[in-house]
């Protein structure tokens, strides 16, 4: 095998007691890279050690069995320590193995990452075409040092080549290589975020023009680029034929930013008479009532909105550029059109207090939304929040595996880590363990599978 792309197994460590209720979805980023390599004649495979629940030793054994010339790993901050440990072990056993790394953590912490001698080269930015050129050069033993978008260590220090231009036309990318993954039946979103299995995620746009202080735009940039509506539906049809897919979870950060292409996609779904359920992620100011009506007709059953806080001053401070009144208006529209809303909230923002956290819970309970998820504000390197965190509280970066939005690595002044962890659990209990919400979920049960997944969530609430 020329190239093996690894999705490391660190899920349970990163998400702790919430792991059982969490989603485990196909790793789309590496599927895009694999598809581009495969299209260009490179023998490539994917090892999803996470979904296969492989131990450290089993992962090494599987990699050695496949015996790739190149191993590629995408690093998140939460997976950094595990990836370094694994890579050192692999290099010790096979010094000739070339390990190429990429991902969000590398983009924001390049030098300390590449100081690890186990890593051969790093890939920055959008990885598809940089990886293709790099792999082609390595396999042919050609000089790599002028390839755009890579970085590497020399005796003189870190060398960072000029960046590669962003992909302007996403329509030119092939469909992600889902076929290189284990069975689609193994994957599932979070317990309450799907209706039908198998479910497949799709990402059909890149870039975000907004300025939230907790988001990193280091890989995809601010310019919004997208796949055309017709091509999206072409891929949905192919997924139905190949994998029997019954539902799509669009994971774009701003699926409805370009409304024209959403209308185009909805028209194509109806024109081809496709039976497909789907959900997406967006912002309240990127939706209107007419669009919601059209999306519902074309199979959309749920929209996730980043609400973040129920306190307007907090929203303004984190530069969400959103009014609470707009959120309420849009969630009311969605409810009236029959689309469920999944609300994303964070606690532990700078300037957060016990009172503002209470306001967030009360706001969530007052909205006509389906679910509320309360994560903990996490200052990732490369974000404005990372730069200002120490001015507004304590910031512990000693254990990178805690950078998962489930643990308080940042604690605002006046609060404690213990308080935030306790409050996170309390908010979930107080939101879900209400007669109205329990009845709502009970009425959604259609079979044993529904009972099983909702019970998994209930067990966590009751711990």
């Amino acid at each position: 095998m020329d190239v093996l792309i690894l999705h490391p197994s660190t899920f349970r460590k990163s998400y702790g007691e919430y792991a059982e209720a969490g989603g485990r979805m196909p790793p789309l980023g590496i599927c895009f890279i694999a598809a581009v390599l495969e299209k260009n004649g490179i023998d490539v495979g994917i090892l999803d050690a996470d979904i296969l629940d492989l131990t450290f030793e089993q992962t090494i054994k599987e990699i050695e069995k496949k015996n790739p010339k190149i191993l590629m790993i995408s690093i998140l901050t939460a997976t950094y320590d595990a990836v370094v440990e694994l890579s050192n072990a692999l290099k010790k056993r096979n010094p000739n193995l070339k390990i190429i790394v990429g991902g969000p953590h590398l983009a924001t912490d390049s030098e300390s990452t590449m100081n690890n001698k186990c890593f051969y080269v790093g890939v920055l930015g959008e990885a598809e075409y940089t990886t293709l050129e790099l792999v082609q050069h390595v396999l042919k033993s050609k000089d790599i040092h002028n390839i755009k978008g890579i970085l590497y260590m020399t005796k003189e220090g870190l060398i960072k080549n000029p960046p590669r231009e962003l992909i302007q036309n996403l329509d030119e990318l092939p469909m992600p290589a889902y076929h290189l993954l284990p069975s689609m039946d193994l994957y599932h979103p979070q317990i309450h975020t799907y209706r039908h299995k198998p479910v497949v995620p799709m990402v059909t746009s890149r870039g975000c023009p907004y300025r939230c202080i907790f988001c990193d735009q280091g890989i995809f940039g601010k310019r919004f680029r997208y796949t055309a509506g017709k091509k999206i539906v072409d891929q949905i049809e192919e997924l139905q034929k190949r994998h029997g897919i019954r539902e799509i979870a669009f994971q774009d950060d701003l699926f409805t930013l370009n409304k024209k292409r959403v209308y185009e996609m909805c028209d194509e779904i109806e024109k081809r008479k496709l039976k497909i359920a789907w959900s997406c992620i967006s912002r309240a100011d990127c939706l209107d009532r007419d669009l919601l009506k059209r999306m519902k007709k074309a199979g959309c059953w749920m929209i996730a909105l980043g609400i973040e806080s129920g306190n307007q001053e907090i929203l303004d401070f984190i530069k969400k550029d959103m009014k609470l009144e707009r959120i309420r208006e849009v969630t009311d529209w969605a409810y009236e059109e029959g689309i469920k809303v999944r609300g994303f909230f964070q606690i532990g923002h700078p300037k957060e207090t016990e009172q503002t956290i209470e306001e967030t819970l009360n706001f969530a309970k007052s909205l006509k939304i389906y679910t509320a998820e309360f994560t903990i504000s996490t200052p990732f390197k490369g974000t404005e929040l990372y730069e200002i965190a120490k001015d507004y509280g304590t910031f512990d970066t000693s254990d990178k595996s805690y950078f998962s939005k489930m643990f308080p690595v940042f604690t605002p002044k006046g609060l404690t880590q213990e308080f935030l962890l306790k409050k996170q659990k309390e908010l979930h209990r107080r939101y879900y363990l209400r007669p109205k919400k329990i009845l709502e979920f009970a009425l959604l049960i259609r079979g044993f599978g529904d009972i099983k997944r909702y019970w998994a969530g209930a067990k966590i609430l009751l711990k």
Side-chain angles (χ1 to χ4, degrees):
M1 179 178 285
D2 293 329
V3 180
L4 179 65
I5 309 179
L6 173 68
H7 185 218
S9 180
T10 55
F11 177 80
R12 293 180 185 279
K13 183 179 179 185
S14 296
Y15 294 95
E17 65 181 285
Y18 290 94
E20 290 300 327
R24 305 179 83 171
M25 293 292 272
L28 269 184
I30 63 177
C31 289
F32 272 110
I33 294 169
V36 170
L37 295 179
E38 189 175 54
K39 184 181 177 182
N40 286 273
I42 291 163
D43 181 16
V44 59
I46 293 175
L47 175 61
D48 190 346
D50 182 57
I51 199 66
L52 296 173
D53 282 326
L54 300 184
T55 64
F56 184 87
E57 294 75 19
Q58 288 171 332
T59 302
I60 289 177
K61 204 170 283 186
E62 283 299 313
I63 292 169
E64 289 182 332
K65 193 189 300 179
K66 295 176 187 298
N67 192 28
K69 296 168 187 168
I70 298 168
L71 178 69
M72 299 189 63
I73 314 173
S74 180
I75 308 176
L76 303 173
T77 300
T79 64
Y80 172 78
D81 291 332
V83 170
V84 171
E85 183 184 0
L86 180 71
S87 299
N88 279 323
L90 288 165
K91 285 293 284 184
K92 190 175 180 181
R93 295 162 74 111
N94 179 7
N96 294 322
L97 178 65
K98 288 183 166 53
I99 301 177
I100 296 172
V101 292
H105 184 78
L106 177 69
T108 57
D109 204 0
S110 303
E111 189 155 3
S112 64
T113 303
M114 295 310 297
N115 268 326
N116 293 286
K117 293 180 180 177
C118 52
F119 299 144
Y120 173 58
V121 176
V123 173
L124 292 175
E126 283 184 321
E128 287 88 357
Y129 293 132
T130 300
T131 301
L132 174 62
E133 186 178 355
L134 177 59
V135 167
Q136 288 172 332
H137 278 59
V138 171
L139 293 177
K140 294 175 183 176
S141 300
K142 293 171 67 175
D143 181 66
I144 66 168
H145 297 99
N146 293 319
I147 295 174
K148 286 184 178 179
I150 68 167
L151 71 164
Y152 50 91
M153 272 292 181
T154 66
K155 290 177 182 177
E156 289 72 38
L158 182 70
I159 303 295
K160 189 181 288 190
N161 284 1
R164 186 173 294 269
E165 299 77 13
L166 292 173
I167 301 167
Q168 298 306 310
N169 179 16
L170 297 187
D171 284 348
E172 71 188 43
L173 291 173
M175 176 181 283
Y178 297 102
H179 61 284
L180 297 180
L181 295 170
S183 168
M184 283 294 135
D185 290 333
L186 294 175
Y187 295 96
H188 60 85
Q190 285 177 265
I191 53 173
H192 52 270
T193 62
Y194 67 94
R195 282 190 165 174
H196 310 290
K197 288 180 69 177
V199 191
V200 157
M202 289 180 70
V203 171
T204 66
S205 62
R206 296 177 179 181
C208 174
Y210 293 94
R211 59 190 190 116
C212 306
I213 68 171
F214 53 84
C215 279
D216 171 32
Q217 298 168 328
I219 292 182
F220 295 133
K222 292 182 76 72
R223 183 171 173 270
F224 185 73
R225 296 158 291 134
Y226 56 88
T227 305
K230 182 179 181 302
K231 179 161 185 182
I232 295 171
V233 182
D234 289 343
Q235 293 189 344
I236 291 172
E237 275 196 309
E238 191 172 339
L239 285 166
Q240 286 186 320
K241 289 171 186 171
R242 279 197 194 183
H243 303 288
I245 296 307
R246 301 175 65 201
E247 184 167 334
I248 301 293
F250 290 108
Q251 295 186 336
D252 312 41
D253 291 333
L254 292 169
F255 186 75
T256 65
L257 183 63
N258 184 303
K259 295 177 183 177
K260 181 180 177 183
R261 71 139 190 169
V262 180
Y263 277 111
E264 179 189 348
M265 184 195 82
C266 292
D267 290 344
E268 284 291 325
I269 287 174
E270 286 198 42
K271 179 180 169 185
R272 303 184 201 188
K273 298 181 180 178
L274 294 186
K275 290 185 178 179
I276 190 77
W278 55 277
S279 61
C280 66
I281 305 169
S282 195
R283 285 173 52 106
D285 53 3
C286 295
L287 292 161
D288 59 55
R289 188 153 202 163
D290 288 342
L291 182 61
L292 288 166
K293 202 182 294 273
R294 192 75 190 85
M295 290 165 64
K296 172 66 178 177
K297 195 177 176 188
C300 178
W301 75 275
M302 185 177 70
I303 299 173
L305 296 178
I307 299 171
E308 318 308 351
S309 176
N311 178 277
Q312 189 62 56
E313 287 184 21
I314 295 285
L315 286 183
D316 294 343
F317 183 86
I318 63 175
K319 299 182 181 177
K320 186 68 181 179
D321 295 335
M322 183 72 64
K323 296 297 182 186
L324 295 172
E325 294 80 8
R326 176 63 177 178
I327 294 168
R328 188 178 300 282
E329 180 180 46
V330 170
T331 53
D332 282 350
W333 288 343
Y335 178 82
E336 289 161 11
E337 297 301 332
I339 295 178
K340 295 187 181 299
V341 174
R342 177 186 179 192
F344 293 148
F345 299 86
Q346 299 184 67
I347 62 170
H349 300 283
K351 296 191 174 184
E352 190 87 88
T353 65
E354 291 188 44
Q355 178 59 37
T356 60
I357 291 174
E358 194 66 20
E359 288 174 24
T360 294
L361 174 63
N362 290 336
F363 185 62
K365 287 165 69 175
S366 74
L367 296 174
K368 294 173 182 174
I369 60 177
Y370 168 54
T371 63
E373 295 167 36
F374 302 95
T375 56
I376 297 175
S377 179
T378 303
F380 291 99
K381 201 163 185 179
T383 65
E384 184 180 341
L385 180 56
Y386 185 92
E387 299 302 322
I388 67 171
K390 287 185 177 177
D391 297 332
Y392 291 91
T394 57
F395 186 23
D396 180 5
T397 61
S398 59
D399 189 340
K400 291 182 172 62
S401 69
Y402 285 153
F403 279 72
S404 64
K405 303 183 79 174
M406 294 296 174
F407 301 93
V409 293
F410 167 72
T411 308
K413 291 176 182 177
L415 303 180
T416 65
Q417 285 188 329
E418 293 75 17
F419 172 81
L420 288 173
L421 283 170
K422 182 181 176 184
K423 205 67 180 176
Q424 182 190 28
K425 181 172 280 191
E426 179 191 318
L427 294 181
H428 283 114
R429 283 177 174 167
R430 289 172 63 190
Y431 180 82
Y432 287 103
L433 298 181
R434 296 178 287 155
K436 175 185 175 184
K437 191 54 68 175
I438 292 170
L439 177 61
E440 183 181 335
F441 276 97
L443 292 173
L444 293 173
I445 293 173
R446 295 291 180 270
F448 180 71
D450 291 336
I451 294 173
K452 187 178 176 182
R453 60 180 169 135
Y454 291 141
W455 176 239
K459 281 192 294 184
I460 291 170
L461 292 174
L462 296 169
K463 274 184 183 178

